[in-house]
């Protein structure tokens, strides 16, 4: 006997988390409808939805009057429509429409304009900065792959503390961070040789003689400026005495790149200068 199909609907208020599996209703409440594979449950800070597999779109963000799932309604770092969950018949994808990146399990970032297939049964999505406030969207896909730790307004969006970079610094850092900006899994900074080769092919190639050392000095200058005591907001984790483990240089560059992505100082649009 086939599972009856139900219409997309708001989750009842007794659903407080999706981490432990599809929640069970208390004795005095109606249970959730039987969910066929491909059904998605998405829960924000106060409102959630359950949608069976069918062409459908769920919007989430700060503008509580025009999204399905309000998220960070008083936090102007969150875009009015920060993202969307879209069902393409049987598969669900998530797209980042906001400025701030979305942090996914496995230390992966979904940057502005990037889209990702929802595969795992439980996916917590974090938006924000640990130094201020983090907002979480919980997603549970019925029939998705289990993860190792899986349990059963009209004003403009505030730019979140972007850091000023010169055109040369931006291009060098875009090259260094290109694996992150292209959305590759578990990205790492590229080599200094790659950065130097990239810079020789750009419109700024004639400004100086590009070598591995030249590229490294540009990045080192940015690290020192952003980590200085006088700089506001100072960025932690960019100095040698703040980082443990090897290779140290790679860790410092990774921390710098993530700080620039988290503040929306770099975004995938910067790749146009590199690719061009």
């Amino acid at each position: 006997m086939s599972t009856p199909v139900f219409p997309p609907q708001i989750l009842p208020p007794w659903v407080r988390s999706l981490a432990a599996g599809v929640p069970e209703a208390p004795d005095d409440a109606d249970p959730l409808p039987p969910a066929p594979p491909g059904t998605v449950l998405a829960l924000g800070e106060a409102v959630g939805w359950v949608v069976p597999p069918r062409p459908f779109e769920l919007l989430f963000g700060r503008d509580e009057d025009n999204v399905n799932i309000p998220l960070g309604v008083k936090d102007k770092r969150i875009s009015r429509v920060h993202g969307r969950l879209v069902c393409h018949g049987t598969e669900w994808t998530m797209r980042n429409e906001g400025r701030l990146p979305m942090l996914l399990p496995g230390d992966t970032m979904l940057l502005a304009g990037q889209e990702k297939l929802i595969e795992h049964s439980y996916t917590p999505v974090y938006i924000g900065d640990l130094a201020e406030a983090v907002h979480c969207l919980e997603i549970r896909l019925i029939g998705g792959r289990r993860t190792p730790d899986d349990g059963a307004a009209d004003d403009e969006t505030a730019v979140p503390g972007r850091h000023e970079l010169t055109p040369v610094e931006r291009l060098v850092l875009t090259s260094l961070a290109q694996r992150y900006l292209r959305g590759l899994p578990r990205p790492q900074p590229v080599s200094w040789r790659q950065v130097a080769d990239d810079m020789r092919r750009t419109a700024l190639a004639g400004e100086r003689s590009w070598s591995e050392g030249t590229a490294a000095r540009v990045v080192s200058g940015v690290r020192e400026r952003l980590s200085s005591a006088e700089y506001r907001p100072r960025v932690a984790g960019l100095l040698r005495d703040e980082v443990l483990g090897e290779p140290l240089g790679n860790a410092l560059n990774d921390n710098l790149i993530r700080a620039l992505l988290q503040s929306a100082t770099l975004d995938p649009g910067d790749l146009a200068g590199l690719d061009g």
Side-chain angles (χ1 to χ4, degrees):
M1 184 176 179
S2 61
T3 302
V5 177
F6 56 89
Q9 56 193 270
I10 294 176
L11 287 171
W14 53 261
V15 176
R16 301 299 178 85
S17 176
L18 305 176
V22 177
E24 295 185 4
D27 294 338
D28 58 348
D30 293 332
L32 293 175
T39 297
V40 79
L41 295 87
L43 180 64
E45 293 160 330
V47 176
W49 279 72
V50 55
V51 183
R54 62 174 64 185
F56 201 80
E57 182 176 78
L58 286 171
L59 304 180
F60 56 93
R62 175 165 55 91
D63 189 355
E64 57 185 331
D65 294 327
N66 293 293
V67 297
N68 305 94
I69 304 175
L71 200 68
V73 295
K74 296 182 179 180
D75 188 344
K76 288 191 176 181
R77 298 171 306 150
I78 306 300
S79 297
R80 291 189 292 262
V81 177
H82 204 99
R84 63 185 72 228
L85 286 167
V86 182
C87 185
H88 308 271
T90 58
E91 293 183 330
W92 285 88
T93 60
M94 179 171 61
R95 179 178 174 84
N96 187 347
E97 304 285 4
R99 294 297 301 271
L100 280 180
M102 301 177 185
L103 184 61
L104 307 176
D107 210 21
T108 301
M109 286 186 178
L110 189 68
L111 305 179
Q114 292 181 344
E115 192 168 6
K116 178 178 177 62
L117 180 69
I118 302 297
E119 298 179 276
H120 298 286
S121 56
Y122 179 67
T123 305
V125 181
Y126 298 98
I127 309 172
D129 188 341
L130 291 175
E132 298 185 43
V134 176
H135 308 280
C136 181
L137 175 71
E138 293 184 78
I139 302 172
R140 179 162 288 280
L141 177 64
I142 305 301
R145 289 194 293 121
R146 296 178 64 86
T147 55
D149 58 352
D150 192 10
D154 64 345
D155 53 337
E156 292 187 1
T157 300
V159 178
R162 298 179 72 192
H163 306 288
E164 292 296 326
L165 299 174
T166 68
V168 169
E169 290 173 341
R170 179 172 297 279
L171 208 51
V172 169
L173 286 160
T174 296
S175 173
L176 187 69
Q178 60 187 276
R179 293 170 179 162
Y180 302 74
L181 294 168
R182 299 185 196 281
L184 300 182
R186 302 192 182 281
Q188 290 292 318
V190 302
S191 67
W192 294 123
R193 176 180 293 180
Q194 178 68 57
V195 176
D197 287 345
D198 287 342
M199 291 303 296
R200 295 188 195 105
R201 293 192 293 267
T202 68
L204 299 177
E207 290 196 4
R208 64 187 76 182
S209 177
W210 285 101
S211 65
E212 297 177 35
T214 308
R217 285 192 291 274
V218 171
V219 174
S220 178
V222 175
R223 278 207 313 263
E224 292 175 5
R225 184 171 75 246
L226 269 57
S227 59
S228 68
E230 295 77 21
Y231 186 81
R232 294 291 182 273
R234 181 182 181 276
V235 180
L238 304 184
L239 301 177
R240 288 182 171 273
D241 58 1
E242 295 177 329
V243 176
L244 299 176
E246 296 291 342
L248 181 59
N250 215 41
L252 293 175
N253 288 336
D254 180 77
N255 289 350
L256 174 61
I257 290 169
R258 291 183 182 277
L260 295 175
L261 295 176
Q262 194 69 36
S263 62
T265 302
L266 291 181
D267 63 47
D270 289 312
L271 289 168
L274 187 65
D275 294 338

